[in-house]
Amino acid sequence: MNISINPTHFKKAAVWETERTLTEAIDLVYDAGFRHFDLEAETLEDAETIAAHIKDKNVRIIQSHMPFNRYKRIPTEIFRKNLMDCATYAKMIGAEILVIHGDEFDYLNQIYTAKKALEYNHRFFYDLVAYAEKNGMRVAFENTFQESTKLNRPHYCAFVEDLCALVDSYGTKNVGICWDSGHAKVQYYERDIDALRLAGSRVICTHIHDNYFSQDMHAFPFLGEIHWKDFMPTNRV
């Protein structure tokens, strides 16, 4: 198991300090001893900067989080282009896994069902999966959770059965699951470990954080309600 960290979270500094640049944040976690990163580039300039900065460092980019359209709801074709651009940037920085939320759906023109959402997401991310396979990367679909919103839209991949169905629909070992411990706790609460067991060997990477009050708080482990003693040995995650 490789413990990685996302340097971009450390661009934020103390309130009396100036915000760090991306390269300063990378150096900060590197000097602290981290050699495995969860890191994405949102622009070509960022990708070139990261690639040049880590060239002579002994680091691995374990995963890059691809953009998702859950809140912004930008037009589909623009979002699709942004997605593929970020996959290109991820390749430039040497990312091994592309993490994505598989919860896209055409709510305006279709009535949601799990079957329709599976078909929609399989088609929507087909090019991303093909690009990853062609370039020696893998794709990991992340478990989401059902939010209470004014729109009250169902989110595909909130249920582990749907997440597994989407992963299995591609029929390749290059597609798996990114298990988000905090999302699972919000969605399943006391049954989160059972959900992880269902995901099984499909899990190829993780997002580790804790929470309580059924909120996606992104707290450090052991500061919330997740039972880490049960979590850690499950599926050898």
Side-chain angles (χ1 to χ4, degrees):
M1 180 175 66
N2 298 312
I3 300 177
S4 60
I5 195 166
N6 193 323
T8 56
H9 293 305
F10 293 88
K11 290 175 64 179
K12 296 178 181 179
V15 292
W16 59 85
E17 296 176 324
T18 304
E19 182 171 303
R20 300 181 183 94
T21 65
L22 180 56
T23 55
E24 288 172 341
I26 290 173
D27 288 341
L28 182 69
V29 296
Y30 184 86
D31 291 342
F34 287 95
R35 296 295 181 267
H36 300 91
F37 293 167
D38 170 357
L39 183 60
E40 57 278 338
E42 297 182 359
T43 67
L44 177 59
E45 181 182 3
D46 282 348
E48 291 174 339
T49 298
I50 293 170
H53 195 68
I54 67 173
K55 182 179 179 181
D56 298 321
K57 296 181 183 291
N58 181 28
V59 301
R60 287 172 58 191
I61 309 297
I62 300 297
Q63 55 184 279
S64 284
H65 204 309
M66 297 294 96
F68 53 92
N69 209 15
R70 191 173 191 173
Y71 304 111
K72 295 181 180 178
R73 307 310 309 172
I74 62 178
T76 300
E77 290 309 312
I78 295 177
F79 172 64
R80 195 191 304 270
K81 181 181 183 304
N82 291 347
L83 184 69
M84 297 308 297
D85 284 345
C86 285
T88 302
Y89 305 151
K91 177 190 173 186
M92 290 174 61
I93 65 175
E96 300 174 18
I97 301 173
L98 307 179
V99 176
I100 187 68
H101 290 188
D103 60 355
E104 293 302 312
F105 193 71
D106 184 6
Y107 295 99
L108 294 178
N109 298 303
Q110 296 187 51
I111 297 175
Y112 180 95
T113 67
K115 181 180 178 180
K116 287 182 180 179
L118 169 60
E119 294 170 350
Y120 187 91
N121 281 278
H122 179 93
R123 290 195 305 271
F124 193 93
F125 296 108
Y126 185 87
D127 289 345
L128 181 70
V129 170
Y131 180 85
E133 287 191 303
K134 181 180 178 181
N135 290 281
M137 298 182 288
R138 293 187 289 173
V139 170
F141 288 98
E142 182 177 343
N143 56 307
T144 60
F145 59 92
Q146 186 60 48
E147 294 176 287
S148 298
T149 63
K150 292 180 180 179
L151 294 176
N152 198 29
R153 289 173 170 172
H155 285 294
Y156 196 64
C157 291
F159 292 101
V160 66
E161 293 85 357
D162 295 337
L163 179 63
C164 292
L166 178 58
V167 169
D168 293 348
S169 73
Y170 288 100
T172 173
K173 293 294 185 181
N174 284 333
V175 177
I177 289 174
C178 173
W179 192 259
D180 188 299
S181 60
H183 291 177
K185 192 65 174 177
V186 173
Q187 178 69 17
Y188 284 100
Y189 194 52
E190 293 183 349
R191 296 183 296 112
D192 59 325
I193 306 300
D194 294 333
L196 175 56
R197 291 192 182 102
L198 263 178
S201 61
R202 298 175 185 86
V203 176
I204 60 175
C205 63
T206 59
H207 286 167
I208 300 298
H209 53 110
D210 212 335
N211 56 41
Y212 51 92
F213 299 134
S214 299
Q215 297 182 36
D216 190 29
M217 303 176 70
H218 289 83
F220 282 106
F222 302 103
L223 295 183
E225 296 178 331
I226 293 176
H227 297 287
W228 295 105
K229 185 177 179 179
D230 296 331
F231 179 94
M232 291 304 295
T234 304
N235 302 338
R236 296 183 180 179
V237 169

